Amino acid sequence: MPIREATEDDLDEIVALIKELAAYEKAPDQARATVEDLRAALFSEHPRVFCRIAETDQHEVAGFALYFYNFSTWEGRHGLYLEDLFVRPAFRGRGFGGALLRHLAGIATTNGFARMEWSVLKWNTPAIAVYDRIGGVAMEDWTTYRLTGTALAELANKD
């Protein structure tokens, strides 16, 4: 199952995949990333985010994984954070998601990272089943927090 590093030629396809993912996650209006945003993030001199593409043998794009590196202060080592993994409906059940996960696990282990982490929507039972099957552990004692928009700006401007 071919997994390859994304190139600038993939930017339109990556934006399309992000929009398809947002629709799947019932939030189509929240996907605002543009080709220019992704070009700056993925292909700058010092990128901080990375992307892998899953393709069929006929070079059809089946899905993608977008990730970045995080750091564990307890481990004293980096980790890999999987921001998004998406396989198009026509290609599900054919091993593309598992191939992307294996590929990323390989990146993490090759680099000596302590762990690989990701979030999943609680209603996404097909994904949860895959994550359980590969040995993923739900972090039940942790809650994700997010600060955006006005609240982010207000906090940044407090004295």
Side-chain angles (χ1 to χ4, degrees):
M1 192 133 322
I3 305 294
R4 63 173 177 80
E5 189 171 350
T7 69
E8 285 194 62
D9 291 339
D10 295 311
L11 286 168
D12 287 326
E13 193 76 46
I14 295 167
V15 169
L17 286 159
I18 290 169
K19 289 181 180 187
E20 291 172 47
L21 170 62
Y24 175 76
E25 291 185 351
K26 302 175 176 87
D29 297 336
Q30 293 179 30
R32 293 183 285 275
T34 66
V35 165
E36 293 76 26
D37 294 332
L38 294 174
R39 179 176 287 113
L42 292 165
F43 302 108
S44 66
E45 186 176 345
H46 301 288
R48 293 192 177 103
V49 64
F50 310 94
C51 185
R52 296 297 186 264
I53 302 288
E55 288 185 322
T56 67
D57 292 332
Q58 293 75 36
H59 304 290
E60 290 179 272
V61 175
F64 82 121
L66 197 130
Y67 65 98
F68 57 89
Y69 301 145
N70 59 12
F71 188 80
S72 168
T73 54
W74 288 19
E75 295 282 346
R77 294 187 293 158
H78 281 95
L80 186 151
Y81 189 87
L82 173 59
E83 177 65 23
D84 281 318
L85 185 147
F86 179 73
V87 175
R88 288 180 160 142
F91 300 102
R92 291 185 189 148
R94 294 171 45 185
F96 289 102
L100 284 163
L101 289 166
R102 281 190 304 281
H103 185 85
L104 297 184
I107 292 170
T109 57
T110 298
N111 285 288
F113 293 171
R115 57 189 173 209
M116 189 166 106
E117 295 179 307
W118 60 92
S119 296
V120 61
L121 290 165
K122 292 181 181 192
W123 59 259
N124 193 347
T125 54
I128 291 168
V130 169
Y131 302 149
D132 287 343
R133 195 167 48 249
I134 65 168
V137 177
M139 304 299 294
E140 309 240 348
D141 292 338
W142 293 85
T143 299
T144 302
Y145 276 80
R146 181 173 292 164
L147 196 59
T148 63
T150 303
L152 178 62
E154 287 175 0
L155 181 60
N157 292 316
K158 283 190 178 183
D159 291 335

